[in-house]
Amino acid sequence: DKFKFPEKINEKEIDEKINTAAVSAAAQTEMTYKQKLSAVEAIVVPFLNNLMKDPEKVMIKWPNRKQVVEAQLKKVLSITKS
């Protein structure tokens, strides 16, 4: 008999430890997503604000837009995929 179970198992203490760990993990996940969302917002909002400039104009002159859009897209994807 090398292994013995404890005389009394405190189920309440075990439940509290499990709940504390779950809350901690949820808080960490929430913080991670808030940081990622803030980073995406910092990229997207200025981009959209620039598109809204001079709304009366029918045409937008935007040289190198493919490169600009691709760069912003890569930034967003690097945040959301990590």
Side-chain angles (χ1 to χ4, degrees):
D1 292 340
K2 293 181 180 182
F3 180 79
K4 292 185 181 181
F5 285 100
E7 299 262 338
K8 185 177 178 183
I9 297 175
N10 187 339
E11 290 182 27
K12 185 178 178 182
E13 186 179 316
I14 292 171
D15 286 342
E16 286 174 1
K17 288 182 180 181
I18 291 170
N19 288 337
T20 300
V23 167
S24 177
Q28 180 64 37
T29 300
E30 181 182 0
M31 185 174 66
T32 298
Y33 280 107
K34 281 184 178 182
Q35 290 171 341
K36 286 185 175 192
L37 189 56
S38 292
V40 169
E41 181 182 349
I43 294 168
V44 174
V45 170
F47 183 74
L48 293 175
N49 282 332
N50 282 336
L51 285 176
M52 288 191 311
K53 288 181 181 176
D54 296 325
E56 299 82 28
K57 290 185 179 180
V58 177
M59 301 279 290
I60 299 173
K61 184 176 179 182
W62 189 358
N64 301 319
R65 74 174 175 266
K66 182 179 181 197
Q67 292 84 358
V68 173
V69 171
E70 284 176 342
Q72 296 299 77
L73 184 59
K74 283 180 185 179
K75 288 179 187 178
V76 169
L77 291 175
S78 72
I79 293 166
T80 60
K81 299 294 182 182
S82 63

